[in-house]
Amino acid sequence: MTLRQFLGKQFIDVLQWNESEDGILGYRYPMVDMEIQSGGQLTVRESQMAAFVNEGKIADIFGPGLYTLTTRNLPLLTDLMNWDKDFESPFKSDVYFFSTRLQIDQKWGTATPITIRDKEFGAVRVRCYGIYSYRIVDPRAFFTQISGTRATYFVNDLEGQLRNTIVARMTEIFANSDVPFLDMAANQAILGDKLIQLMKPAFTAFGLELNQFVVENISLPDELQEILDQRIGMRMAGDLASYTQFAAAEAMGTAASNTNGAAGLGMGLGAGAAVAQVMAGTVNSGTVKSTGAEPAPATDAAPGATKFCIECGHAIPIRAKFCAECGKPQ
């Protein structure tokens, strides 16, 4: 080294890092043409940790505090550099700072539905999403497994890896949850607690601590949701009379959406009423013999009983042969 090169060097007396922006997980202190003065000061603030790295090998790690840098508190670096016990010269080393702040409001979600086995519905495809939070707790593991020698490592650089790790575990976790799909919404908090315990080892391998995991929503794809809605409607219908009312209401809705307007609505009303009458008549007439014989005659209708026109849906006497409103034979 020439005298000019020696004089051009800078000697660092104080090492510290002020986070310039949110979302930084790791930061390498700039050391170009700079050496650390033996006896210099290292300041590690709360929510930070610092690590000394020599020729790619991570050595000493410091938590929050103020440190005077000597061979006494740099034992691993001293061994790597083969320093004497009373070494007092400036030295070269890479210094990395790591943010241990809680990284909150991290999003996760299933890009495509995942298939699980449900006790009630069999195979079901579900979608889910939520948030989670984590922090760095082991800079050594994070440096060797994730950040490496990059000058700056951001939360966004890790987001995809963590999200895919979460989704990859979802199928296994849901399959072993023993919670029926219809009960998952009511047990999202319990499910989130179980998920956080099962996912912690994957985060620990990266030097991270999974602090919180929240399941915000669990839903079915649109086509499966329609089928579930129909099934719920059938269960709500209950007995036969309620079912015929449900069928009539469905027919009215279909007719109302018909471009034929009022005529379509009248036909829908008539069709729904006809279904109701046929089903009710079947119940009142008794059991039909399997030989194809005509059913037993129905009991006399009560005075004043009405039915609906199969054409326009207008109420008419039950024994009427024609509709007084539209004239259609009954």
Side-chain angles (χ1 to χ4, degrees):
M1 179 185 297
T2 66
L3 177 62
R4 183 174 182 177
Q5 290 174 325
F6 177 80
L7 295 176
K9 279 186 171 294
Q10 300 181 48
F11 299 102
I12 303 172
D13 291 325
V14 177
L15 284 165
Q16 60 181 348
W17 175 47
N18 294 316
E19 298 181 44
S20 58
E21 58 183 296
D22 290 333
I24 299 178
L25 292 175
Y27 171 78
R28 184 177 65 200
Y29 193 91
M31 300 293 292
V32 177
D33 292 328
M34 301 175 71
E35 290 186 356
I36 302 171
Q37 186 73 37
S38 179
Q41 301 293 314
L42 169 67
T43 301
V44 183
R45 292 177 170 81
E46 291 290 347
S47 76
Q48 293 180 356
M49 296 185 78
F52 283 72
V53 178
N54 178 66
E55 296 180 355
K57 296 181 180 180
I58 190 166
D60 302 284
I61 297 176
F62 297 86
L66 176 63
Y67 304 90
T68 299
L69 300 176
T70 66
T71 56
R72 296 176 182 177
N73 56 20
L74 290 168
L76 298 181
L77 188 60
T78 298
D79 291 341
L80 290 173
M81 300 289 286
N82 296 315
W83 288 337
D84 292 332
K85 183 177 180 181
D86 297 325
F87 176 80
E88 297 292 344
S89 299
F91 62 92
K92 184 76 173 178
S93 177
D94 290 325
V95 179
Y96 290 82
F97 287 89
F98 299 93
S99 174
T100 58
R101 290 194 298 123
L102 196 62
Q103 305 300 325
I104 63 173
D105 198 30
Q106 303 300 306
K107 305 290 193 298
W108 67 269
T110 54
T112 57
I114 59 176
T115 303
I116 64 173
R117 186 176 298 278
D118 186 81
K119 293 181 178 179
E120 184 173 357
F121 297 102
V124 177
R125 290 185 298 127
V126 299
R127 296 177 301 194
C128 45
Y129 62 84
I131 59 174
Y132 66 99
S133 59
Y134 67 92
R135 72 170 86 237
I136 295 176
V137 293
D138 186 352
R140 188 181 301 276
F142 185 80
F143 176 82
T144 57
Q145 299 293 331
I146 302 296
S147 64
T149 59
R150 290 179 54 172
T152 308
Y153 199 91
F154 292 91
V155 170
N156 290 340
D157 297 327
L158 189 57
E159 179 183 6
Q161 174 69 31
L162 294 181
R163 183 177 60 250
N164 292 338
T165 298
I166 290 171
V167 174
R169 298 293 305 275
M170 276 297 175
T171 302
E172 173 190 351
I173 293 170
F174 275 127
N176 296 323
S177 66
D178 296 326
V179 178
F181 170 76
L182 293 179
D183 296 332
M184 284 184 179
N187 292 276
Q188 285 180 185
I190 298 175
L191 190 59
D193 291 340
K194 185 172 184 177
L195 290 171
I196 196 173
Q197 296 302 322
L198 294 175
M199 288 186 181
K200 274 186 175 181
F203 279 71
T204 300
F206 297 147
L208 308 174
E209 177 189 54
L210 180 58
N211 183 266
Q212 185 183 40
F213 190 89
V214 177
V215 180
E216 293 187 33
N217 180 269
I218 303 174
S219 62
L220 297 173
D222 293 340
E223 63 275 12
L224 293 181
Q225 186 63 51
E226 291 179 3
I227 296 175
L228 179 60
D229 290 342
Q230 293 175 2
R231 181 169 180 175
I232 293 174
M234 291 290 294
R235 288 188 174 183
M236 291 177 63
D239 58 18
L240 183 59
S242 298
Y243 171 74
T244 56
Q245 294 175 8
F246 176 77
E250 288 287 306
M252 290 174 63
T254 303
S257 63
N258 194 310
T259 56
N260 292 331
L265 178 59
M267 292 181 65
L269 287 168
V275 170
Q277 292 176 34
V278 171
M279 297 299 291
T282 301
V283 173
N284 292 331
S285 63
T287 305
V288 180
K289 296 181 179 180
S290 60
T291 57
E294 291 294 326
T299 59
D300 292 338
T306 61
K307 63 182 179 180
F308 297 95
C309 174
I310 62 175
E311 176 65 23
C312 66
H314 185 73
I316 59 176
I318 196 168
R319 296 183 180 279
K321 302 298 184 181
F322 297 90
C323 176
E325 182 71 17
C326 66
K328 181 73 176 180
Q330 303 299 307

